């Protein structure tokens, strides 16, 4: 489907991702950019369902309990679209049982890029958790189902 939502991630548009080459560090949410985003997860994100789904095995997501937000790094929203540096999802509700056990949810959240709303990609039915070294969430982004499952790649709990 031309123009299908493809919420995927690529390190600076490169297709030559390999484990252990240090590129994961370029995808982390840097603490000096936003001190609340101190925990990053690298994982698999799937957008869509069935044969028309888009899967990216090097997606990066971070969250902030204090900032009540998720952030997606180096995101692509459509096939052929340039990579967007950061998409913020503000207004997420978090429940923190401990630093290593957090659940979150949201409904009707308009994500932003460079402060501009992406209303056509409004998040609904957002449900997720961060537990120990894993982050998992699912939602609808506009009309497309989105699922993410990642493992911890960077943390600094002192800034949370």
């Amino acid at each position: 489907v031309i123009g299908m939502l493809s919420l995927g991630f690529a390190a600076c548009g490169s297709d030559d991702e390999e484990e252990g080459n240090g590129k994961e560090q370029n995808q982390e949410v840097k603490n000096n950019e936003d001190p609340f985003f101190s925990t990053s997860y690298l994982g698999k994100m799937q957008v869509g369902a069935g044969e028309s789904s888009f899967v990216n095995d090097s997606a990066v997501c971070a969250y902030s309990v204090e900032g009540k937000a998720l952030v997606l790094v180096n995101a692509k929203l459509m096939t052929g679209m340039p990579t967007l540096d950061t998409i913020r999802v503000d207004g997420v509700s978090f429940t923190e049982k401990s630093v290593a056990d957090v659940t979150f949810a949201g409904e009707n959240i308009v994500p932003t890029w460079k402060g501009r709303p992406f209303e056509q990609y409004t998040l609904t039915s957002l449900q997720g958790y961060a537990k120990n070294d894993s982050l998992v969430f699912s939602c609808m982004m506009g009309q497309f189902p989105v699922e993410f499952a990642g493992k911890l790649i960077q943390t600094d709990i002192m800034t949370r």
Side-chain angles (χ1 to χ4, degrees):
V1 175
I2 295 177
M4 176 184 162
L5 172 72
S6 298
L7 182 59
F9 298 83
C12 303
S14 173
D15 291 330
D16 61 352
E17 286 285 330
E18 291 184 26
E19 265 186 56
N21 66 4
K23 290 189 179 182
E24 296 88 10
Q25 293 176 349
N26 294 331
Q27 296 177 347
E28 294 171 2
V29 178
K30 303 298 182 200
N31 287 339
N32 63 354
E33 293 173 6
D34 190 333
F36 288 120
F37 294 107
S38 58
T39 308
S40 298
Y41 297 82
L42 175 66
K44 176 181 175 180
M45 182 169 284
Q46 179 172 330
V47 179
E51 291 181 24
S52 61
S53 68
F54 175 82
V55 177
N56 187 310
D57 291 322
S58 57
V60 174
C61 183
Y63 71 91
S64 168
V65 173
E66 288 180 18
K68 299 180 181 175
L70 293 174
V71 65
L72 310 172
V73 182
N74 296 328
K76 290 183 79 167
L77 294 177
M78 292 184 191
T79 302
M81 174 184 226
T83 301
L84 307 175
D85 49 358
T86 303
I87 294 176
R88 286 185 63 113
V89 181
D90 291 302
V92 177
S93 297
F94 288 88
T95 302
E96 188 172 27
K97 297 174 187 173
S98 71
V99 172
D101 190 359
V102 177
T103 59
F104 55 92
E107 191 65 44
N108 295 318
I109 302 173
V110 177
T112 59
W113 175 65
K114 292 190 176 184
R116 291 179 277 167
F118 278 156
E119 293 169 346
Q120 68 270 33
Y121 303 118
T122 297
L123 277 79
T124 57
S125 303
L126 174 63
Q127 296 287 322
Y129 66 88
K131 189 163 185 162
N132 299 320
D133 68 344
S134 298
L135 176 73
V136 174
F137 73 83
S138 64
C139 65
M140 292 294 292
M141 196 165 185
Q143 63 183 352
F144 300 98
V146 175
E147 295 180 356
F148 175 86
K151 292 290 185 183
L152 183 67
I153 58 173
Q154 180 253 337
T155 188
D156 179 4
I157 62 172
M158 298 305 292
T159 61
R160 291 194 18 190

